[in-house]
Amino acid sequence: MGTFRYVLRDTNRLLFRHWGLSLLTLFTAVAVFFLVGSSALFMLNTRYLVARVESELLVQAYVKNEAQLQTVADKAHKIPGVASVRWVTTAEAMERLKTRLKGHAQALTILGENPLPPSLEIGLARAVLAPSVARELLAMPEVDDVIYAGGLADKLARVSRFATRFSMFVLVIAVTASALVLFNTIRISIYSRRDEIGVMLLVGATPTFVALPFVLQGMLLGMGGALGASLLIGGGYEALVRGVEATLPFVQLFRDPSMLLRLGLILLGGGITVGWISSWMAVERFIRRALRPM
Amino acid sequence: MGTFRYVLRDTNRLLFRHWGLSLLTLFTAVAVFFLVGSSALFMLNTRYLVARVESELLVQAYVKNEAQLQTVADKAHKIPGVASVRWVTTAEAMERLKTRLKGHAQALTILGENPLPPSLEIGLARAVLAPSVARELLAMPEVDDVIYAGGLADKLARVSRFATRFSMFVLVIAVTASALVLFNTIRISIYSRRDEIGVMLLVGATPTFVALPFVLQGMLLGMGGALGASLLIGGGYEALVRGVEATLPFVQLFRDPSMLLRLGLILLGGGITVGWISSWMAVERFIRRALRPM
Amino acid sequence: MDVRISGVTKLYEPDIRALEDVYLTVPKGEFLYLVGQTGSGKTTLLRLITREVMPTKGQIAVGEYNLRKMSAFDLALYRRDLGVIFQDFKLLPHLTAMENVAFVLDVIGVPPAEVKERTGEVLERVGMWRRRFLRPPQLSGGEQQRIAIARAVVNAPSLLVADEPTGNLDTHTAEEIMQLLLSINASGTTVLMATHNQFLVDAYRQRVLELHMGRVVRDEKRGRYELDGDF
Amino acid sequence: MDVRISGVTKLYEPDIRALEDVYLTVPKGEFLYLVGQTGSGKTTLLRLITREVMPTKGQIAVGEYNLRKMSAFDLALYRRDLGVIFQDFKLLPHLTAMENVAFVLDVIGVPPAEVKERTGEVLERVGMWRRRFLRPPQLSGGEQQRIAIARAVVNAPSLLVADEPTGNLDTHTAEEIMQLLLSINASGTTVLMATHNQFLVDAYRQRVLELHMGRVVRDEKRGRYELDGDF
Ligand SMILES: Nc1ncnc2c1ncn2[C@@H]1O[C@H](COP(=O)(O)OP(=O)(O)OP(=O)(O)O)[C@@H](O)[C@H]1O
Ligand SMILES: Nc1ncnc2c1ncn2[C@@H]1O[C@H](COP(=O)(O)OP(=O)(O)OP(=O)(O)O)[C@@H](O)[C@H]1O
Ligand SMILES: [Mg+2]
Ligand SMILES: [Mg+2]
């Protein structure tokens, strides 16, 4: 009834009477959530990139003769962490050597019989698994030799771990900073209305009633900020992806609409929550102070 | 005299009487300048990385016989954009082929006489120059053939251009956002003291006199923010570099103490300037409003 | 509501004795003038009743409320039963005169139609209906004071606390406001009024309590204004 | 400084005629009471003189200053020559009583030692020396008013504009303040004082200007308070 109507009217008034202040808060919120969203996208891209590079890491198992390729391939499929198995016959190996030597391939024709052994190229789910998979392969009697870029696998595993940790760190920093900045902004904006809070309490308003418009305002601003940031990030990232596609077709950015939508929703939920908590904490303090008798 | 003393005392009062507010502004400033500094470092690293990868791009010029290597090398040195020239004799070319073929090098012994031609490996200052340098080399009568990773050179040139543009864009966004956030924060904090401004003007203070403490406060906060951010970035980057060195020794981050110092000084100068401009703009508006008679 | 103050002493921070061993009982429905020099403790006494100030020593009870221990919610309920005219008005500068008055009723959840009616009525009574759409900074000192009075009486309080309600009013308007306070008092509301207005105190004789340096120095049934503090 | 107001009309926003065709000349050194009901335009008239308000029509000159056209710097110089007691005090709440007074001298660049001396002197005169370290929210209404008075007179102004300077004072303190204003007037300062204090006006007879609904309805050499506005 009266109360409800009043709270809505007052929230509206807080937002639009001091619209300059609201706009500033909104802008700050957008900037801050933009930072959070960008960090999240950065993290997604890092992980995506690492995953893609990992998927290109191969373990090469040289098999004694071509007839055994099938057996080894079957066994290899059962090793945990093996994502793909590809046959390389003796003929294919020769073809590859020729392309590798480029213009000087004619030199190889002197070789006569093909001396290259058949092999299996085994793709891995994660780079760290390379040594253990290699060990298992080497243990098979049909396998002659196992070669993999040990250094590269190691490097990749480290990069992966480092990238995950680093982007997590950036994200945590961004979230903390955003909550603090938003809290501060709302606190300063409530600070300029502390007299009002005092008067409301003096004429018999309950603390909840006094806090409600401020909290609603905080939630709306948080939501608005998150929404603005989501739209900006959505548009900006779309442009970035298109720009990269046009100029750097060999680079692939992370692009999963459902994931991006989820990111937007998380941002929105986070915005509302941060707006709510920070405005509540800010206004609650002033209320407590105003109620404390001298 | 009196005036000067008053301005200092009042600045001090503004900073410490409302120390909560000052702290909040300071914190926001630190966060914002941290963002700017990080973007700048990101840009420096991108350019550094691109420059390093570019320096690894080689143009291979196959020379008719080893005796002509010297002549070609001398001419190549004169081509603009050529950074280094390295001889590869026939013997060295054979060695390389052997290591490339790994365990199967024994196959090459069948070749008997060494069929590989001598060549020059030419390093470039910038990847975009590869095609023009290749053309000039090919025009020389002593040169048989020129090979370079055309696709790679092209890619690198694009990556370089894109990275520069993108990190510039990020930096501009960061600087704009920082100025706006700082301006808003200072404006909100002045907003809560607008009565004070009005009273000062009513008792005969000149606009400059009224503005001075606020502007000084803004400058000090901007400076403090930039200083805090510089220290944080300095420490954080140091830690990052060390972390990367320990876990990813093959990755090299940009590390030039004089450049980093310059970045810190630029940040500091920027902080003071932004604090000055934004507080001046903010307080000037209130003064103008307070002076306007009804 | 009746007011029962017993043995109250109030010390402010450094070492200011604002009130010293005050005993006062105001029965329901009484009208009491609180007089005394500036700084004698009148506002402090009224603030004890609105619970803006807690006594350093002693007890205060108003109606069935004991002001010593009180939850935030009970305090809100208690203050709804109170009408307060503050010495410095405490109007909200960004609300219109009318909104400043309606606000008190909104706060306690009165339905909109009734808010409108009662607000209009009281604005008429203090002669501010024509100025209802102006905001406090656009009103003269006396007009602001009348809005503060309207706000205090609009919720038909059981106890009205008025701190210098005629300080910015001319003699004629002051008398009109006095009539208003008396008529509210006649309907059963207890009224405590701190005032320096010699003319009103002497013209409308009521119980007078005089404070001097925080002590009660006079308590007359139908007293006059003249202060005998330090003369 | 003398004040010359001719043909001044002031219209506030919607359509409020605060002043209508006012002519007034106050010679240097005169003491003038401005009386009238609440809302009759007294504060508006004083605000024209402090240049917080510009006339819709007409001319105002004070001393050698023409208030129509004035740079921000000249305005500051002019206001330094003015002492103003605001109806709502306009004290800075975060400064102590003493700092509120000293502030006016700091602003105009008086050397620290002199600031200290003059501030102490004037605080003694208004009886606020003992309370000098309290901040306005810790002072009683009358004490705040006396600080406002001290601030207005500390820079020995050529023209003193006092808007209801005794609204929160008891009769005795009001008389003391009146003595202070008269002694400042005796030293050559022109004084304009808007007041509702019938007692003072009748006791200390001076020139009286009565406003009614924005018009000058009375201008007596040694007048009394009684308003004949709408009776
Ligand atoms: N918060 C406070 N801190 C310190 N001293 C205070 C505080 N509030 C009031 N005082 C002091 O207590 C004394 C009594 O103040 P109070 O406001 O009760 O006086 P009053 O009788 O209402 O005076 P007036 O008629 O001027 O309004 C004053 O001397 C004042 O300086
Ligand atoms: N900024 C404003 N906007 C609109 N109307 C205003 C404004 N300031 C004053 N008024 C109106 O002008 C009229 C004269 O106001 P003024 O303050 O001059 O009265 P006053 O004689 O000082 O009264 P009081 O004795 O109550 O202080 C009042 O009716 C007031 O409502
Ligand atoms: Mg009082
Ligand atoms: Mg007035």
Side-chain angles (χ1 to χ4, degrees), chain B residues 247-282:
Chain B
T247 50
L248 312 174
F250 47 91
V251 174
Q252 263 200 5
L253 290 180
F254 176 80
R255 204 177 185 182
D256 176 349
S258 84
M259 194 70 175
L260 290 178
L261 189 71
R262 234 165 63 202
L263 178 64
L265 288 179
I266 290 175
L267 224 52
L268 208 65
I272 296 175
T273 312
V274 168
W276 169 46
I277 294 180
S278 49
S279 55
W280 169 254
M281 277 171 61

Side-chain angles (χ1 to χ4, degrees), chain A residues 18 20-21 23-25 27-28 31 34-35 42 62 97 100-102 104 107-108 110-111 115-117 147 154-156 158-160 162-163 165-166 173 176-177 180-181 183-185 187-189 191-192 194 240 243-244 246-251, chain B residues 18 20-21 23-25 27-28 31 34-35 42 62 97 100-102 104 107-108 110-111 115-117 147 154-156 158-160 162-163 165-166 173 176-177 180-181 183-185 187-189 191-192 194 240 243-244 246-251:
Chain A
H18 298 276
L21 228 60
L23 222 67
L24 298 189
T25 313
F27 177 83
T28 309
F34 185 81
L35 184 65
F42 174 70
Y62 291 94
L97 184 59
R100 256 200 216 166
L101 292 176
K102 284 202 191 101
H104 314 286
L108 292 175
I110 310 168
L111 293 173
L116 302 174
I147 290 180
D154 192 43
K155 272 184 189 177
L156 265 178
R158 285 200 211 170
V159 168
S160 164
F162 189 82
R165 231 182 284 159
F166 181 71
I173 292 268
T176 315
L180 272 163
V181 168
F183 171 70
N184 292 350
T185 311
R187 216 167 88 69
I188 293 174
S189 106
Y191 178 83
S192 69
R194 62 199 180 290
L240 182 72
V244 167
T247 50
L248 313 172
F250 47 90
V251 174
Chain B
H18 297 274
L21 228 62
L23 222 68
L24 298 188
T25 313
F27 177 84
T28 310
F34 185 80
L35 184 64
F42 174 71
Y62 290 94
L97 183 59
R100 255 202 216 168
L101 292 174
K102 285 203 190 100
H104 312 286
L108 290 176
I110 309 170
L111 292 174
L116 301 175
I147 291 179
D154 192 42
K155 274 183 189 178
L156 265 179
R158 287 202 211 168
V159 168
S160 165
F162 188 81
R165 231 182 283 160
F166 181 70
I173 292 267
T176 315
L180 272 164
V181 168
F183 171 70
N184 293 350
T185 311
R187 217 167 86 69
I188 292 175
S189 105
Y191 178 84
S192 69
R194 62 199 180 292
L240 182 71
V244 166
T247 50
L248 312 174
F250 47 91
V251 174

Side-chain angles (χ1 to χ4, degrees), chain C residues 44-104:
Chain C
T44 303
L45 186 60
L46 297 182
R47 277 190 176 162
L48 284 170
I49 292 166
T50 59
R51 208 172 179 270
E52 288 170 81
V53 159
M54 283 293 249
T56 312
K57 232 170 66 189
Q59 296 294 329
I60 309 171
V62 181
E64 67 270 40
Y65 297 96
N66 178 342
L67 304 196
R68 258 265 167 247
K69 279 220 140 175
M70 213 172 204
S71 72
F73 189 76
D74 279 346
L75 180 59
L77 288 186
Y78 166 59
R79 282 180 175 166
R80 289 174 190 191
D81 229 2
L82 228 58
V84 188
I85 302 165
F86 299 95
Q87 196 167 6
D88 54 355
F89 312 155
K90 292 205 198 299
L91 298 174
L92 298 181
H94 51 274
L95 296 184
T96 66
M98 187 146 131
E99 285 169 345
N100 262 291
V101 177
F103 168 71
V104 182

Side-chain angles (χ1 to χ4, degrees), chain A residues 202-219:
Chain A
L202 276 175
V203 300
T206 57
T208 319
F209 181 85
V210 173
L212 228 54
F214 289 100
V215 172
L216 264 174
Q217 179 208 19
M219 284 170 73

Side-chain angles (χ1 to χ4, degrees), chain B residues 294, chain C residues 131 134 137-144 146 168-170, chain D residues 12-14 16-19 36-45 47 87 163-164 194 196 211:
Chain B
M294 262 190 303
Chain C
R131 291 275 184 271
L134 294 182
Q138 303 177 313
L139 294 172
S140 83
E143 288 165 349
Q144 287 179 41
R146 282 185 282 167
N168 286 276
L169 300 179
D170 59 275
Chain D
Y12 282 119
E13 254 325 301
I16 297 168
R17 294 198 167 263
L19 289 177
Q37 283 191 297
T38 54
S40 56
K42 303 182 294 300
T43 299
T44 303
L45 187 60
R47 278 191 175 160
Q87 196 168 5
D163 199 353
E164 197 65 61
H196 292 303
L211 287 173

